[in-house]
Amino acid sequence: MKRYTVYFDHAVDGLTRGATVKLRGIPVGLVNDIRFVSAGNDRVQVTADIAEAAPVRADTVASVAFQGITGAAYLSLENTLPATAAHPLGVQKGEKYPVIAARQSDMQSLLSGAPAVMGKMSDAADRAQKLLSDKNIGDTEALLPEAHDALTEAAAAFREIKMLAREIREDPSIILHGSKYQGYQVPK
């Protein structure tokens, strides 16, 4: 077995010492320890013992996942690149063991975003309730006849504008002389 470290910047709810470590769904080790980095640092340090044969590489990422119906937490590892493109994972300066990068699982992302989504849904429901209030519905019903009258008048005005445009196309001099002008009268 080879020991690795994972640093989480978010909660690791349900993960315990002795929890299974899986790489691509295959059990490859166990969680050895879980602790805060220090009293003044709220990052969580997880150490895990993983089989030497497991393909842990520089592109490997860790997240906390949950086992089917039982809901038991385990440390899930995934390689993000094809094996041919990945580099080996070595020990970084200042670290005792190789460090596997951490990320939130899809479920953790969903759960951490749930309060914001619920807040937005609540705001939308409040706005819909205000929009559909009895007062707004009554006001809208009162405005409908006025809106109908205004649209009828607008349609009539539009017809008159069309007729005026047609007359101007036929005789542009109407703009200068008016509609009553009979043209220049030749004396008899």
Side-chain angles (χ1 to χ4, degrees), residues 29-182:
L30 298 173
V31 171
N32 176 274
D33 191 27
I34 302 173
R35 66 180 67 217
F36 287 106
V37 171
S38 67
N41 188 337
D42 63 355
R43 290 181 82 197
V44 177
Q45 178 182 352
V46 175
T47 54
D49 293 325
I50 299 173
E52 298 267 349
V56 176
R57 311 180 304 238
D59 67 305
T60 304
V61 292
S63 62
V64 177
F66 300 93
Q67 183 71 36
I69 296 172
T70 64
Y74 65 93
L75 188 63
S76 174
L77 305 178
E78 292 292 329
N79 293 326
T80 60
L81 296 173
T84 56
H87 299 287
L89 182 62
V91 178
Q92 299 169 356
K93 186 176 180 182
E95 295 290 339
K96 191 172 181 180
Y97 308 111
V99 175
I100 298 172
R103 70 171 178 200
Q104 276 191 324
S105 68
D106 293 338
M107 180 60 77
Q108 287 172 320
S109 296
L110 177 67
L111 293 176
S112 68
V117 170
M118 291 302 293
K120 288 181 181 181
M121 287 176 61
S122 178
D123 289 346
D126 289 346
R127 288 180 182 172
Q129 189 174 16
K130 288 176 185 174
L131 180 65
L132 298 173
S133 71
D134 291 340
K135 181 185 180 315
N136 282 348
I137 290 172
D139 291 347
T140 302
E141 287 174 349
L143 290 174
L144 285 177
E146 293 177 29
H148 178 266
D149 293 346
L151 288 174
T152 302
E153 289 178 25
F158 184 68
R159 281 192 298 276
E160 288 181 26
I161 290 170
K162 283 175 55 179
M163 288 185 342
L164 179 60
R166 189 177 311 120
E167 287 179 20
I168 291 172
R169 268 195 309 271
E170 290 172 2
D171 181 12
S173 69
I174 197 168
I175 294 172
L176 298 173
H177 303 291
S179 61
K180 305 271 190 246
Y181 181 69
Q182 297 294 320

